[in-house]
Structures are given as structure tokens and as C-alpha cells.
Amino acid sequence: MTAPATPSIATPTQDRARAGAPAKIVVRGVSKVFQRKMDELEALAGIDLDVQAGEFVCLLGPSGCGKSTLLNIVGGFENQTQGIVHVDGEPVTGPDPRRVFVFQEYGIFPWASVWDNIALGLRGRPKDEVARITQHYLELVGLKGFEKSFPEELSGGMRQRVAVARALAVSPDIVLMDEPLGALDSLTRLQMRGEILRLWQREKMTILFVTHDVDESVQLADRVVVMSPRPGRIAEIVPVNLPHPRDIGSPEYGRIKNRLYELLGVSHAI
Ligand SMILES: Nc1ncnc2c1ncn2[C@@H]1O[C@H](COP(=O)(O)OP(=O)(O)OP(=O)(O)O)[C@@H](O)[C@H]1O
Ligand SMILES: [Mg+2]
């Protein structure tokens, strides 16, 4: 049995990393302490992570281990308490249109049509350019014919496609996905994983993808960053050296999955 079909590729990002190319995202010694009313909460401690250009990295870990916090810091929406975060060799000082977010379910505006939702980030550009780009991403995520529909008329999976199309329409370098498939049923999730892989292979952006689903991480990632709570630390970074589409029945796939469960402290034999 195989995961949803996507063109077969090797793992070029890992080759690039081996060739010593500078990392796209560099996180060094990052910690985060939230000040609360009565006390403080250490959410992240000593995070070191390099992400190569074009790499697909999953952040995997239990609820509360700091996955969203780390994503927000890389996105420039949250300041780290200590450490450095560089993107393309420059310190991250705030949000940047080259880095976009896709969230679990709040990503699209209910009052705007599919077309307007996708075109939202393109305001200020020439009309024909906006139309061309919007059409391209509408088709890429399989929503042709639904451009005039409103979110309430769409299924959950279709809404997430709109969110993905809107994120990609601005040609981001980096896409930060915070459990983008978390609200979907299991079949739609599987289909959407295949679609996200297809888009990634086509558009070649760098993806940081938060999930607490072990299968999702093994199906998608070049590397899985396993985090432990609290404060959130990196327990281990597990490479997935398997070409797409991944054979989920292969011994190597099973070995990686078991290792991830082990790291998460769950005894699980597949
Ligand atoms: N703005 C905030 N103020 C105070 N504490 C916060 C804030 N944001 C997050 N935290 C705390 O930091 C820790 C990490 O939160 P975070 O949202 O990053 O976890 P997560 O791994 O994304 O969890 P989940 O899988 O449930 O989304 C949690 O203990 C949370 O309570
Ligand atoms: Mg979260």
C-alpha cells in the first residue's frame, strides 16, 4: 500500500545540505519564556535547528511542547527570549511577506468568495497579474468552478485548499503550516497530504509543518523534528530518506514510525 501518488523524487534538499549549502533557516540556542500574571512559563529551551532551502521539515510533539511557539518565532510573530533566528542570513525581526502561515482552520475569510480569498495577498498589483496568479493557484488546488463560492458552501478540505492557495499565491519562500490538516476527516487528510506534497515539489518552497500525527510526519517530511515538553526541547531529528510516493508498508517506513513513537514515549508496534 502506498501513500497518495506524487511524482517520485529523491531528497535533493538533503544532498544540498551535505554539499554544505548555507541553511535557509538557522535557529540557534533559542529559548522562550512567557510572562504570565503570577509567574512565567518556559515554553522552549535550547532549540538548535537548520532548515535547508526547499526542505520539508515536520515539527512533531505532544500538545504544549512549543511547536506553535517555535513556528511563530521563525515567522517573526513572536520574539525569542534568547538565541538567534536567521532566514537567508538575516535576523528575523518581524513578519515578512516571504514567509506565510497556514493555520488549522481560521485561515480564510467567510465574507469573501474563494477567488477573493486567494487574491487577498495580491492587493496593489496590476489587475491582470492578480487575475493570472489567482487563476493559477485556483486550478493548482483543484477548485476551478468554485471561484464564486463562499467558504460556508465548501467542505472542510476545500476550505483548507483555499487557505493553501492563498498562502502560495504570494510566492512565499517559506510556508509555515500549523496543523493545517488537523480539522479534516482522515480520508480528506490523506488526499490533502498528497496535494501539499505535489505543490511543494512543484513550487520548491521551504516548509515547516507542525503536526502531532506520526503518520503524517513520516509521509511528508525530509526530516522529523521530535520535540519533548516542557520546556520544549528537540529530543531528536529523524531523517526520512524515502522517495515519494512513500511505501507505508515498507520495513524502513515502519522502523521510522516506531522510532518516532519511541521518542514520544508511546509504545506502539505497527
Ligand atoms: N501567549 C502565551 N502566553 C503564555 N503562555 C503561552 C502563550 N503561548 C503559548 N504559551 C504556553 O507555551 C507552551 C507551548 O505552547 P504552544 O502553543 O507552542 O504548544 P504546541 O506544541 O503548539 O501545542 P498544541 O499541539 O496543543 O498546539 C504551552 O504551555 C502554552 O501554555
Ligand atoms: Mg500549536
Side-chain angles (χ1 to χ4, degrees), residues 10-27:
T11 52
T13 45
Q14 285 163 4
D15 293 344
R16 216 176 298 150
R18 277 192 287 271
K24 179 94 183 156
I25 304 170
V26 174
V27 178

Side-chain angles (χ1 to χ4, degrees), residues 62-69 71-72 104 178-179 210 212:
S63 186
C65 73
K67 303 178 296 295
S68 297
T69 303
L71 213 63
N72 282 325
Q104 189 167 334
D178 198 351
E179 301 195 51
V210 166
H212 41 231

Side-chain angles (χ1 to χ4, degrees), residues 3 31 63 66 90 93 96 137 142 160 164 209 219 231 242 257:
S31 69
S63 186
E90 299 286 327
T93 53
D96 185 303
Y137 286 97
Q160 270 318 67
V164 169
F209 186 108
Q219 279 177 19
L242 296 169
K257 218 173 124 170

